[in-house]
Amino acid sequence: MREFLRFATLALLVMVALFAGTVIFLSDEPATADDTAVAVDAGSSAEQTGSPGQGSEAPSKLVANARVPVPDGLPASLEGTSLPGGWAKTDSNGSLVPTPQLRQLFEYYLAALGEETLPQLVARIEQALARLEEPARSEAMATLGNYLDYKLALGDLEVTYGNATSLDANEMQQRMAEIRALRRTWMDAQTAEAFFASDEAVDQFQIEQLRIRTDESLSDEEREQALERAEQALPAPIREARRETRKFTDYQKARSQFADDPEALRAWREERFGDEAARQLEKVEAEQRAWDNKWQSYSAALRGLDDLGLAGPEREAAVDSLRDEYFEGAEKLRAEALDSIR
């Protein structure tokens, strides 16, 4: 319940749209062949961002040989971000334990390809890996080389697919099998599982979802039961994310349905989330409505202030005084931040 309240509060305050790729597998909308193609192409949006590009020279040869100067500052796209953590994991013998976080470390830097050269980004990754003791350091460097070569091979494989997008579930299953095999060609099974198990589970769910929704032999009840069984194969964090997404979607529908009937909305909240959560959610909504009203009044007053033709320090002082009139504490900081992006 506490997790849901945090989720609902964020949704009400920010109302941001969910990322398109996330909505594809978190929502309960029918997956299309085009949607599934995006998912099955090896998480292509993430992997191609850092793709080393095609060429005759294996990218792995840059590892331990990238003798290039590395700028002191991070690439612009990485400024203000935090380096992924949790990747420096070793066993009792000091050997590297592959983790999803290690792949995240690689992709963190490779995402800046274009701002810096591949040799520079490889050198940055090597600097991060230098914190490891042997033999984990050498094993991590070897994993990096294999991962870079895999990404090059993946790009070559995707070229053979051409621009075909209208694929059925069987065709998507074939592509997934090819990509899965490619990963295990360039990386050992333990590393491939650590790096891609979650992606592959989502891809498989997308394929099953497409197959079930397009199976005309199923009744509506059988289709829903099959979809529920397919969802159970997803990793627990993804299943939980889907549940939270459904809660948000259902709640948005209820708010629209009972927009003119606060008592009915209150009863819906209590039935769905329980008394305590319903009270907290109602409080959040009331605070948001109060903020919206206050912000609209302040914005109107600010437009009137602009009509006076003030500029420079004089205008800044007038705006600051206006904020003091409408807001206090954290609200004033929020208003100042919103003003900065007008």
Side-chain angles (χ1 to χ4, degrees):
M1 180 176 66
R2 191 173 301 166
E3 291 296 325
F4 169 71
L5 289 176
R6 284 200 292 267
F7 179 85
T9 300
L10 178 62
L12 288 168
L13 293 178
V14 184
M15 290 299 183
V16 293
L18 296 174
F19 291 108
T22 304
V23 171
I24 289 175
F25 68 85
L26 293 185
S27 72
D28 288 315
E29 293 301 315
T32 65
D34 290 357
D35 291 337
T36 313
V38 174
V40 174
D41 280 344
S44 57
S45 62
E47 294 183 349
Q48 290 179 2
T49 299
S51 177
Q54 298 185 20
S56 58
E57 194 76 8
S60 58
K61 292 186 177 181
L62 295 173
V63 179
N65 290 302
R67 299 183 180 88
V68 294
V70 176
D72 293 334
L74 287 171
S77 64
L78 300 183
E79 289 182 359
T81 63
S82 299
L83 189 70
W87 55 268
K89 188 175 180 181
T90 58
D91 63 17
S92 59
N93 297 318
S95 292
L96 180 73
V97 176
T99 61
Q101 291 79 12
L102 183 61
R103 180 189 171 203
Q104 291 169 10
L105 174 71
F106 296 165
E107 287 295 343
Y108 174 79
Y109 286 111
L110 293 177
L113 187 62
E115 297 176 79
E116 291 185 359
T117 66
L118 182 60
Q120 286 176 314
L121 296 174
V122 169
R124 286 189 183 276
I125 298 173
E126 290 180 5
Q127 288 176 351
L129 298 178
R131 63 178 283 189
L132 294 169
E133 301 289 340
E134 293 293 352
R137 181 189 302 142
S138 294
E139 292 166 348
M141 297 279 276
T143 300
L144 172 61
N146 292 338
Y147 186 70
L148 292 172
D149 286 350
Y150 152 71
K151 288 175 70 67
L152 180 63
L154 175 66
D156 292 340
L157 176 62
E158 289 178 336
V159 168
T160 67
Y161 291 151
N163 297 320
T165 55
S166 298
L167 305 176
D168 62 25
N170 291 333
E171 291 169 322
M172 295 313 306
Q173 187 75 63
Q174 177 62 32
R175 287 195 179 186
M176 179 180 171
E178 291 172 354
I179 293 171
R180 191 177 187 278
L182 183 67
R183 290 166 174 165
R184 286 152 183 80
T185 297
W186 288 102
M187 284 164 278
D188 61 79
Q190 183 184 10
T191 301
E193 286 296 313
F195 279 17
F196 302 109
S198 180
D199 289 355
E200 290 173 355
V202 170
D203 291 342
Q204 188 61 51
F205 173 72
Q206 285 287 68
I207 293 170
E208 290 303 316
Q209 187 183 53
L210 178 61
R211 182 177 287 119
I212 292 166
R213 292 192 183 279
T214 55
D215 187 347
E216 296 181 357
S217 69
L218 296 176
S219 66
D220 290 344
E221 182 179 357
E222 290 172 333
R223 184 171 289 108
E224 289 304 314
Q225 291 174 349
L227 288 170
E228 288 178 7
R229 289 193 297 270
E231 184 172 327
Q232 290 306 307
L234 288 169
I238 297 177
R239 292 201 308 272
E240 180 62 26
R242 283 178 58 82
R243 283 194 290 268
E244 293 301 322
T245 300
R246 281 195 289 268
K247 286 181 182 179
F248 177 74
T249 301
D250 292 346
Y251 184 57
Q252 290 301 96
K253 290 179 180 177
R255 290 183 71 204
S256 177
Q257 180 181 354
F258 303 122
D260 299 324
D261 191 345
E263 289 302 320
L265 180 59
R266 181 178 295 109
W268 187 93
R269 280 193 298 249
E270 291 174 353
E271 179 181 357
R272 184 66 186 272
F273 305 120
D275 292 345
E276 183 181 349
R279 285 194 296 270
Q280 291 295 327
L281 196 52
E282 186 172 8
K283 179 181 177 182
V284 169
E285 287 190 338
E287 291 172 350
Q288 180 63 27
R289 286 194 299 271
W291 163 265
D292 289 341
N293 292 335
K294 192 178 296 186
W295 176 255
Q296 291 175 9
S297 298
Y298 165 74
S299 297
L302 186 61
R303 288 192 295 271
L305 187 64
D306 290 338
D307 291 340
L308 299 177
L310 301 178
E314 187 178 15
R315 183 185 183 281
E316 291 179 9
V319 171
D320 195 56
S321 177
L322 194 62
R323 289 198 197 105
D324 285 338
E325 180 181 343
Y326 281 90
F327 308 106
E328 59 182 20
E331 281 189 340
K332 184 178 178 182
L333 294 176
R334 183 181 177 188
E336 186 174 356
L338 289 172
D339 280 338
S340 69
I341 58 175
R342 281 181 184 269

